[in-house]
Amino acid sequence: MLFHRGLSRISRNLRGSLNGTRRLLSIQEQNHQSLQSHHYHTPTGSTAKVMRSLAFSKGLPALHSSRYQIHDQSSSISEEELDPFSLVADELSFIANNLRAMVIAEVPKLASGAEYFFKMGVEGKRFRPTVLLLMSTALNLPIPKPPPSNDLGGTFTADLRSRQQRIAEITEMIHVASLLHDDVLDDADTRRGIGSLNFVMGNKLAVLAGDFLLSRACVALASLKNTEVVSLLAKVVEHLVTGETMQMSTTSDQSMEYYMQKTYYKTASLISNSCKAIAILAGQTADVAMLAFDYGKNLGLAFQLIDDVLDFTGTSASLGKGSLSDIRHGIVTAPILFAMEEFPQLRTVVDEGFDNPENVDIALEYLGKSRGIQRTRELAIKHADLAAAAIDSLPESDDGEVRLSRRALVDLTQRVITRTK
């Protein structure tokens, strides 16, 4: 009964008008402020009912991206019709087939585990490969200085796209390996709408399958023969471990800066450094490579912040995994952190832990009285806006495909903050 009252309280207290969205325009003026600061000035008002949270976010894309609509007015594809995933659909299919071939193992049981989330129908959204393929086209610019020939392992112009596709494959293998390991640590039983690998085949095989995917990613990475790219993606694996360890060590005393650093390590480091690797392989300048990095970093942070919201507002069916999973595992995320700022007494509940279901209900009660959900959404919008600004700052190009890919990358920032799963 307490649990249902908690959810009802969240819904009741977060119901309201959308008047606050008008003031979100001021966020665009903050694009070049420090990304690590958590002193965000948020508008008054409230979001729509939490259990129907998209009522609020559906009004945001026009505010979020209006300044980018002039980028490609000559394109025959209108803003409403632009589908980033369809632009790279053929390449995504090619990469999916490559991945299935790359994870074949000699031992049948290991092969079954390694290919578990690469089988047709359970590949997931393929969000990261889509970002990287679009970034590859978006950075199809004149090369100021080609990379040294001894670091390329081949003709630069002949195999650039295939090398960038390989980055997308490596990134997806690292991502799936991290999911397999996370599910073991979280004792999860579902992933992508089906039984998690650890639930179906056991923890030991899930860990070994994740290790196998990382080893295959390392072999593919070495084949690129680019030491800077190898160093970047090796650092990503270190970040994944560091972020997971930071998450295990969280208490009510953690700051928003600590949380955002952990979120960067666990979620944003992979996509940001992969975007930078795309630029490095293309021989782009350090400035262009940093813009690619900034896009990936802020997109990844926005993605995770919305994940935090959906853990409270989504359903198990829509998420493909259990809702309220973070708080039930004692993981304190942005909505609860913001709620603790308004209600310090919530810290006592967090310190006691959430093994007791009543503490979950109490936390939901406080969350419902707070602006935690709304402030987390607004923070996600801020980072999505910063990602769009990074694309806007790239050197100008008259190439239609380049401009269209950039529009698609901006469109993805909108999709991240309005998604429901």
Side-chain angles (χ1 to χ4, degrees):
M1 182 64 71
L2 259 176
F3 170 73
H4 293 293
R5 189 163 71 246
L7 287 180
S8 174
R9 186 65 175 270
I10 293 177
S11 299
R12 184 169 65 253
N13 285 283
L14 288 177
R15 186 184 299 119
S17 70
L18 304 182
N19 292 337
T21 61
R22 296 189 183 95
R23 292 180 62 184
L24 287 172
L25 287 170
S26 64
I27 294 174
Q28 295 180 354
E29 299 173 1
Q30 303 170 7
N31 279 342
H32 301 292
Q33 293 181 1
S34 169
L35 302 185
Q36 295 302 318
S37 173
H38 75 289
H39 298 292
Y40 299 98
H41 299 286
T42 53
T44 57
S46 86
T47 60
K49 195 174 182 181
V50 161
M51 303 309 291
R52 296 190 322 216
S53 59
L54 282 221
F56 174 79
S57 56
K58 283 179 180 176
L60 297 177
L63 296 177
H64 170 62
S65 66
S66 59
R67 67 170 180 264
Y68 301 101
Q69 294 176 2
I70 62 172
H71 279 8
D72 196 11
Q73 293 176 343
S74 61
S75 172
S76 60
I77 302 178
S78 70
E79 196 76 19
E80 292 75 16
E81 294 173 335
L82 181 61
D83 179 4
F85 298 92
S86 68
L87 292 180
V88 293
D90 291 342
E91 283 185 283
L92 285 175
S93 296
F94 176 75
I95 286 173
N97 290 332
N98 276 357
L99 284 168
R100 282 189 280 271
M102 292 169 74
V103 300
I104 293 174
E106 293 181 23
V107 180
K109 185 173 277 191
L110 180 58
S112 296
E115 70 176 6
Y116 193 71
F117 286 122
F118 292 112
K119 293 181 291 187
M120 294 185 68
V122 290
E123 306 103 321
K125 296 177 283 291
R126 296 186 290 188
F127 178 78
R128 289 157 189 82
T130 298
V131 169
L132 296 173
L133 292 173
L134 290 171
M135 184 65 73
S136 299
T137 304
L139 298 183
N140 188 14
L141 301 164
I143 303 168
K145 182 180 179 182
S149 58
N150 65 346
D151 212 25
L152 285 171
T155 305
F156 179 71
T157 56
D159 64 355
L160 174 59
R161 190 68 180 196
S162 65
R163 290 157 62 76
Q164 291 172 325
Q165 289 171 345
R166 183 53 54 92
I167 291 292
E169 294 161 1
I170 293 166
T171 299
E172 192 67 1
M173 283 192 285
I174 294 174
H175 171 60
V176 172
S178 73
L179 297 183
L180 296 180
H181 289 164
D182 280 356
D183 285 347
V184 172
L185 291 170
D186 297 340
D187 197 26
D189 54 13
T190 58
R191 170 72 69 176
R192 294 181 177 175
I194 62 174
S196 60
L197 182 61
N198 57 298
F199 181 76
V200 173
M201 303 184 73
N203 284 343
K204 289 183 179 179
L205 187 67
V207 170
L208 292 172
D211 291 346
F212 178 75
L213 291 179
L214 288 175
S215 69
R216 284 297 169 92
C218 289
V219 171
L221 186 56
S223 72
L224 293 174
K225 300 180 180 179
N226 186 302
T227 54
E228 187 174 2
V229 169
V230 170
S231 179
L232 277 178
L233 293 182
K235 179 65 71 173
V236 166
V237 178
E238 177 188 332
H239 285 170
L240 288 170
V241 176
T242 301
E244 190 63 45
T245 305
M246 289 175 70
Q247 181 166 280
M248 292 169 59
S249 309
T250 56
T251 66
S252 66
D253 293 329
Q254 72 167 302
S255 64
M256 184 59 74
E257 287 90 350
Y258 181 96
Y259 168 79
M260 293 300 286
Q261 187 65 44
K262 181 266 294 183
T263 299
Y264 167 71
Y265 285 152
K266 275 183 60 69
T267 304
S269 174
L270 177 58
I271 190 63
S272 60
N273 283 291
S274 296
C275 283
K276 185 176 182 179
I278 292 290
I280 291 170
L281 289 179
Q284 292 300 331
T285 65
D287 287 343
V288 169
M290 187 52 64
L291 287 171
F293 175 90
D294 286 343
Y295 174 83
K297 176 179 181 178
N298 286 289
L299 187 73
L301 292 175
F303 189 97
Q304 185 57 51
L305 287 163
I306 293 299
D307 246 18
D308 293 347
V309 170
L310 292 177
D311 192 56
F312 290 102
T313 66
T315 64
S316 297
S318 67
L319 298 176
K321 58 183 179 180
S323 58
L324 297 176
S325 61
D326 286 337
I327 194 170
R328 292 189 187 283
H329 285 94
I331 299 172
V332 178
T333 57
I336 294 295
L337 286 173
F338 281 130
M340 284 195 297
E341 289 184 8
E342 295 180 55
F343 299 98
Q345 57 267 44
L346 178 55
R347 295 181 184 277
T348 302
V349 178
V350 171
D351 285 336
E352 289 178 1
F354 296 103
D355 292 336
N356 183 348
E358 287 190 3
N359 280 356
V360 175
D361 297 336
I362 294 170
L364 291 175
E365 286 278 350
Y366 279 116
L367 180 60
K369 294 186 290 187
S370 76
R371 298 176 61 249
I373 294 290
Q374 181 178 347
R375 291 180 69 186
T376 303
R377 283 191 178 280
E378 289 162 4
L379 182 54
I381 293 167
K382 177 186 178 70
H383 284 288
D385 220 24
L386 287 167
I391 297 302
D392 194 44
S393 298
L394 289 171
E396 292 185 5
S397 173
D398 293 328
D399 186 291
E401 289 187 359
V402 170
R403 291 157 69 91
L404 189 59
S405 291
R406 292 181 183 183
R407 274 184 49 203
L409 289 170
V410 172
D411 181 87
L412 284 174
T413 68
Q414 301 174 39
R415 291 171 183 257
V416 160
I417 61 174
T418 58
R419 66 191 180 93
T420 59
K421 60 182 179 180

